[in-house]
Amino acid sequence: GESVGLHLPTLSVQEGDNSIINCAYSNSASDYFIWYKQESGKGPQFIIDIRSNMDKRQGQRVTVLLNKTVKHLSLQIAATQPGDSAVYFCAESSNDYKLSFGAGTTVTVRA
Amino acid sequence: NAGVTQTPKFQVLKTGQSMTLQCAQDMNHNSMYWYRQDPGMGLRLIYYSASEGTTDKGEVPNGYNVSRLNKREFSLRLESAAPSQTSVYFCASSEEETGYNEQFFGPGTRLTVL
């Protein structure tokens, strides 16, 4: 069945460095992908999304890359800050209503 | 705008008790969702409502019922709570946009069933 997963459950990064969070998906019919950030005790917060007709999309300090050939998605965070410490989830959808979430990667920023 | 609000924030139940989790959104969104999140796992969809008057099962609907009361409100009911339903419950909403489905989440309800 479909699954969305992240390669590593935890990531430790030095403040100021760039972070790369990876995600693999198995449903080749997925056409929409989204990254969420979840801070402790809060609900997920939208970061950035991308459609399958694109392979790169940039936001403020974040870039999402999509490689449909190997079914891989990544989130790059530039100049990581302490406020970036959180759990990051990727999610995918093959229709307009339902998202399937991965298990999440916990990012810890070292001062 | 408050966005998506959920009540209560915390709840402790005994096995067999019932309760309703409330969710409301003020963004005039058509679609609403209920998820549960267990430790170390992503969110799993319980039920969703694509539009007012419709509801559909998600990935883990057993033990739950929902009501789309109006466009703003979507409630989740546990008729007979079980310890396996101990979890954090999130409500979300989204506009009905073809091809995009950014969902906005509430702060969550932390439920413990003893």
Side-chain angles (χ1 to χ4, degrees):
Chain A
E2 300 92 354
S3 68
V4 180
L6 293 168
H7 291 308
L8 292 173
T10 62
L11 176 67
S12 180
V13 61
Q14 185 70 38
E15 182 179 356
D17 288 351
N18 296 335
S19 303
I20 299 176
I21 306 166
N22 295 304
C23 180
Y25 65 95
S26 61
N27 184 3
S28 56
S30 296
D31 57 4
Y32 176 69
F33 304 87
I34 189 166
W35 282 98
Y36 282 94
K37 172 186 179 183
Q38 186 177 26
E39 296 174 281
S40 181
K42 297 183 179 180
Q45 179 182 10
F46 170 84
I47 301 173
I48 192 168
D49 57 6
I50 189 168
R51 294 196 66 186
S52 59
N53 60 354
M54 304 171 68
D55 54 19
K56 181 179 180 179
R57 194 169 188 214
Q58 289 184 291
Q60 188 176 18
R61 278 201 310 121
V62 294
T63 300
V64 57
L65 299 177
L66 175 62
N67 185 331
K68 295 180 288 294
T69 302
V70 295
K71 299 191 189 71
H72 184 269
L73 188 71
S74 68
L75 176 71
Q76 300 177 3
I77 304 174
T80 310
Q81 302 169 358
D84 295 327
S85 291
V87 180
Y88 290 80
F89 294 96
C90 64
E92 56 89 16
S93 176
S94 57
N95 63 44
D96 286 341
Y97 299 115
K98 292 188 285 186
L99 287 173
S100 294
F101 285 81
T105 290
T106 299
V107 173
T108 302
V109 180
R110 305 188 307 273
Chain B
N1 289 348
V4 179
T5 57
Q6 293 182 236
T7 56
K9 285 186 169 52
F10 301 93
Q11 183 70 49
V12 178
L13 294 177
K14 294 180 180 178
T15 296
Q17 287 185 315
S18 62
M19 80 161 295
T20 300
L21 281 65
Q22 306 287 352
C23 174
Q25 52 91 9
D26 62 2
M27 296 173 282
N28 201 37
H29 286 168
N30 287 307
S31 302
M32 297 185 73
Y33 313 81
W34 275 106
Y35 292 89
R36 61 177 288 172
Q37 184 177 36
D38 299 303
M41 298 180 68
L43 285 79
R44 292 184 291 170
L45 183 65
I46 305 171
Y47 270 94
Y48 69 101
S49 171
S51 61
E52 186 178 356
T54 69
T55 61
D56 286 285
K57 295 179 180 179
E59 182 184 355
V60 289
N62 291 346
Y64 306 94
N65 284 301
V66 291
S67 295
R68 183 74 183 268
L69 304 170
N70 47 56
K71 191 171 185 179
R72 290 186 65 249
E73 299 172 288
F74 188 38
S75 64
L76 178 73
R77 182 160 179 84
L78 286 70
E79 290 291 351
S80 179
S84 61
Q85 293 178 305
T86 293
S87 189
V88 182
Y89 291 85
F90 288 100
C91 178
S93 71
S94 67
E95 289 189 59
E96 192 174 15
E97 289 187 29
T98 301
Y100 286 90
N101 195 26
E102 178 187 345
Q103 295 183 14
F104 296 81
F105 285 83
T109 294
R110 282 156 181 74
L111 174 67
T112 301
V113 183
L114 302 174

